[in-house]
Amino acid sequence: MPVTRTIRLWSIAALFASAFALGGCSTQIADMPGLGVPAGAPERPKEAGGYLPVHDLPPDRNEEAMKPAELAKIQSELTAARDRQATAATPAKPAKK
């Protein structure tokens, strides 16, 4: 390898190493009073919050989401739109001379 290529590779490696090393310090920098917190930001809680309630389900509905007649109407409209698009997408045959 030429010398300039070797120097370039070492420079890139040093850049990535320094970015990786400084990335580990980002949480400590964000906690510094004068640097990381904007002026109007609310105070951070002293203790970290618990886990989000991912297994909590919303309550059941009292009525159906959609009436069967509405569902049939929407399905027929979608089928008609699909058929219109299918006929519009087929190329027209050229007229014979």
Side-chain angles (χ1 to χ4, degrees):
M1 280 200 296
V3 175
T4 57
R5 186 180 233 179
T6 305
I7 291 172
R8 185 183 312 154
L9 288 175
W10 279 109
S11 299
I12 291 172
L15 179 69
F16 280 121
S18 61
F20 183 71
L22 289 175
C25 300
S26 65
T27 57
Q28 287 82 8
I29 292 173
D31 289 336
M32 293 179 78
L35 297 175
V37 182
E43 288 188 31
R44 292 186 181 175
K46 298 294 180 190
E47 295 180 15
Y51 292 108
L52 295 175
V54 294
H55 294 292
D56 290 349
L57 299 175
D60 291 335
R61 295 182 179 193
N62 294 333
E63 58 185 49
E64 294 181 30
M66 192 178 292
K67 306 246 185 282
E70 264 185 86
L71 182 62
K73 178 184 172 192
I74 291 173
Q75 285 177 342
S76 65
E77 289 175 0
L78 288 173
T79 304
R82 180 189 63 204
D83 293 341
R84 282 193 308 269
Q85 288 179 352
T87 57
T90 56
K93 293 182 182 179
K96 292 184 181 181
K97 293 183 180 180

